[in-house]
Amino acid sequence: MRRDADRYTLFTRRALLLGGLKMGLLGMLGARLYWLQTVESDKYKVLADDNRINTRPLTPSRGLIFERTGEPLAANRNNFRVLITADKGRVSEAMKQAETVLERLDRVIAISDGERQRIIEQMRRNRSFVPVTVRENLTWEQVAQIEFNAPDLPGVSIDLGQTRDYFFPELMSHIVGYVGRVSPDDLRDSDDPVLQLPGMRIGKKGVEKGADEALRGKPGGIQVEVNAVGRVVRELDRVEGESGANLLLTIDLELQQYVTERLKDQSASAVVMDVITGDILAMVSVPSFDNNTFARGVTQTEWQELLNDPKKPLLNKAAQGVYPPGSTYKMVTALAALDSKTVSLWDRIPCAGSIEMPGGVKKYCWIHPAGHGWLNVVEALQQSCDCYFYEAAKRAGVDRIAEVAAKLGFGKPTGVGLPEESGGLQPTRAWKQDRESKPWGVGDTYNLGIGQGDMLSTPLQLAVMTARIANGGFDVQPRLVAASAGARDALQPPAVQNKPSGASLRFNPQHLKAVQTGMDMVVNSQSGTAFASRISEKGMAMAGKTGTAQVKRITESERARRMSQAELPWHLRHHALFCGYAPVDNPRYACAVVVEHGMGGSTTAAPITRDILLQTQKIDPSRRPERFKSAALAGGTVAEVPPPKRSEP
């Protein structure tokens, strides 16, 4: 019995011990459950919701672009696109799953190797759950096929996005520019999370790039419930983004169309500018290109064709093209010589047809090899005498010339609003020393005095120079954007303005008047170099200056036989330039024209400028605000803006 009692006691102690351990474990489990379900319930609810709910950004609607009368130039069109989303918590597994899904999706919509590589790289670069655009502009049939195969395509969804449409591409591509996909370089240059939105397009050229931040808008967001494989079950909440600002440009489309037609079949550019307000009324570079091609994605073949075209259609020649200004620069030399008091208004300088430099090198007067005789500054401008301006430049000196040139807009970008704008080149003593480790010489001064040598300018800079001379010496600044407004606010046309908006450049009024008189006589005097291109309509007469810029140095033998430029290959012929303003009595519009390899400013560029300035005065865009259309200039999509009514040339 004793033995049985001991065994019973041992069993009881063991049972109690095991029971205690079980109760302890159950207590610990209960405590843990209480801790998880009660104390930290909010935390784990959030984590659970993170698995169940995805927050996805919504790309904002890009702002619209209009020309000065309210005609739409750039708007948005709705399009269906397919997105793919992956959880990057486990990168290797997520990428492997994405590749598998893309293989399945390839059977529905053919996906090239290049597209697949882009998608995978973008998924690796993006944050978790940020969708990546696989394809845009899907047809209804493609959308239906993807939705039908949805169970086999985890993480794939159909989304309604927007694509950019450009009206009048042949007229406006260089100004408006285009949008394109966000590149790795764009992401390195900016930490804006908007750039990682699926299908996000940003400005790559023109106004689209210059005003990109204003046009972008602010993103919205959408909350969706997803199942275990990432498939969207339902939409829980949506906050729409804020559309970008709408822009009203200073360009007059009717004038832009006329100038484009007038320059047709040339490799040329022209700028028309309001000398009072600085509004760029027309800026044309021909040939042009279709910016819709870049908005949808240019192919390699299309890209190579554009790159290999000798007339460079991708280059905005008006703002990017740089050329020796030739004799159009003589207004700068004249003002520098007069303001430095090294030449007076009535000083006469002889022209014997050439001058001899140190070392026996001759520099010739291209217009009159036999010599013009004795000329004052007005007569020298009228007849474009090289020898006069050689001497005037030598007397004024490079430093004074560079100072006046800077006042008139040379040597740096004008700030018109095009990021790709060139600043040209205004050579100085310091520039030559830095570039060539040589001192500035008298030959350099002679070349600069007639706008040759290293001097380079853009047609836009020539228009700015002409405008500042025409308006009496005021620092008018060129602009392309006349107004901007929120997506739901009305755009207002630019107000009529009759006084120069800029500060005075402090030129002597008598000196400016002499230059203006010389430009008047260039066109309206029988001995002027552009007399054949005068405007005969009453009250519309123009003043201006011809220019011919050498591309190839003329040899002594070629000069002796007066070789015709037409004998040379096209790419070796001189550039033809003309700067003018009108009307002479009350200047309002300035124009600069450059025809690449056009051979002569008086024969090629001057007639074009005459026609452009005559048409500009007939339209009179700066004084006719009633031409502005009272259409609804807000909304964001093509359907909400008035369709264009004008046909392209």
Side-chain angles (χ1 to χ4, degrees), residues 252 254-256 258-259 271-274 279 281-282 535 540 582-583 588-591 608-624 627:
D252 185 283
E254 183 178 345
L255 182 60
Q256 183 83 358
Y258 177 85
V259 177
V271 178
V272 181
M273 180 176 169
D274 186 321
D279 286 355
L281 304 171
I535 296 176
M540 293 187 176
R588 185 72 201 210
Y589 303 110
C591 179
I608 294 173
T609 308
R610 172 200 60 206
D611 295 344
I612 291 173
L613 281 175
L614 180 59
Q615 181 68 12
T616 303
Q617 292 177 89
K618 289 179 179 178
I619 297 173
D620 207 11
S622 293
R623 296 189 178 99
R624 295 177 59 190
R627 295 173 65 236

Side-chain angles (χ1 to χ4, degrees), residues 204-531:
K204 296 291 186 176
K205 192 173 182 179
V207 172
E208 288 277 30
K209 183 176 182 180
D212 185 60
E213 290 191 11
L215 289 166
R216 277 184 204 172
K218 297 179 180 179
I222 180 174
Q223 280 191 335
V224 294
E225 184 177 359
V226 297
N227 58 21
V229 294
R231 181 71 182 164
V232 175
V233 176
R234 59 182 173 134
E235 182 179 315
L236 301 176
D237 188 28
R238 176 183 289 260
V239 177
E240 296 294 341
E242 182 180 329
S243 298
N246 296 328
L247 302 182
L248 186 73
L249 302 189
T250 61
I251 297 293
D252 185 283
L253 191 60
E254 183 178 345
L255 182 60
Q256 183 83 358
Q257 186 170 12
Y258 177 85
V259 177
T260 302
E261 181 68 21
R262 187 62 182 83
L263 294 176
K264 186 173 64 176
D265 300 328
Q266 303 274 8
S267 178
S269 58
V271 178
V272 181
M273 180 176 169
D274 186 321
V275 307
I276 303 298
T277 65
D279 286 355
I280 301 298
L281 304 171
M283 180 186 284
V284 173
S285 176
V286 293
S288 187
F289 65 97
D290 187 348
N291 46 1
N292 288 298
T293 301
F294 288 84
R296 65 165 169 77
V298 65
T299 66
Q300 188 64 28
T301 301
E302 292 169 331
W303 176 247
Q304 288 301 323
E305 287 178 355
L306 290 169
L307 281 183
N308 296 331
D309 191 322
K311 293 187 177 180
K312 301 178 181 178
L314 290 176
L315 181 72
N316 182 356
K317 299 179 180 70
Q320 289 178 275
V322 290
Y323 312 89
S327 293
T328 61
Y329 192 79
K330 288 174 180 176
M331 281 92 76
V332 177
T333 305
L335 282 173
L338 292 170
D339 279 8
S340 66
K341 299 181 180 179
T342 55
V343 174
S344 73
L345 288 171
W346 308 114
D347 278 350
R348 290 186 172 274
I349 296 175
C351 170
S354 66
I355 63 170
E356 190 167 318
M357 291 174 27
V361 177
K362 280 190 174 183
K363 295 195 74 67
Y364 294 87
C365 185
W366 175 251
I367 298 296
H368 203 325
H372 288 97
W374 293 79
L375 303 171
N376 61 31
V377 65
V378 172
E379 294 165 338
L381 285 169
Q382 172 192 352
Q383 299 180 51
S384 197
C385 175
D386 287 343
C387 288
Y388 179 97
F389 288 100
Y390 291 145
E391 179 63 23
K394 185 175 75 172
R395 294 186 187 183
V398 59
D399 297 329
R400 189 65 173 183
I401 294 173
E403 180 184 336
V404 171
K407 285 185 177 182
L408 293 176
F410 293 104
K412 63 180 180 180
T414 66
V416 73
L418 299 176
E420 59 271 18
E421 181 189 2
S422 171
L425 173 61
Q426 175 62 54
T428 62
R429 293 181 189 276
W431 171 83
K432 183 164 186 181
Q433 187 65 43
D434 290 342
R435 180 175 181 261
E436 300 180 6
S437 299
K438 293 180 181 179
W440 187 270
V442 65
D444 297 317
T445 303
Y446 285 157
N447 286 334
L448 181 60
I450 62 168
Q452 290 284 171
D454 295 308
M455 177 66 202
L456 294 172
S457 64
T458 66
L460 177 59
Q461 289 174 328
L462 294 176
V464 170
M465 172 195 68
T466 307
R468 292 177 181 177
I469 291 173
N471 68 17
F474 290 92
D475 187 20
V476 61
Q477 297 294 321
R479 65 175 186 175
L480 273 172
V481 178
S484 64
R488 299 297 170 182
D489 299 325
L491 282 166
Q492 298 297 326
V496 175
Q497 185 177 330
N498 295 313
K499 292 184 179 181
S501 55
S504 173
L505 295 170
R506 305 184 70 81
F507 287 120
N508 185 313
Q510 291 183 324
H511 299 165
L512 270 177
K513 184 62 178 176
V515 171
Q516 291 171 344
T517 302
M519 294 175 71
D520 184 2
M521 294 180 69
V522 165
V523 181
N524 300 306
S525 169
Q526 288 190 3
S527 57
T529 56
F531 180 67

Side-chain angles (χ1 to χ4, degrees), residues 623-646:
R623 296 189 178 99
R624 295 177 59 190
E626 73 276 5
R627 295 173 65 236
F628 187 79
K629 299 172 178 59
S630 57
L633 301 185
T637 62
V638 170
E640 295 166 324
V641 300
K645 298 182 178 64
R646 299 175 183 139

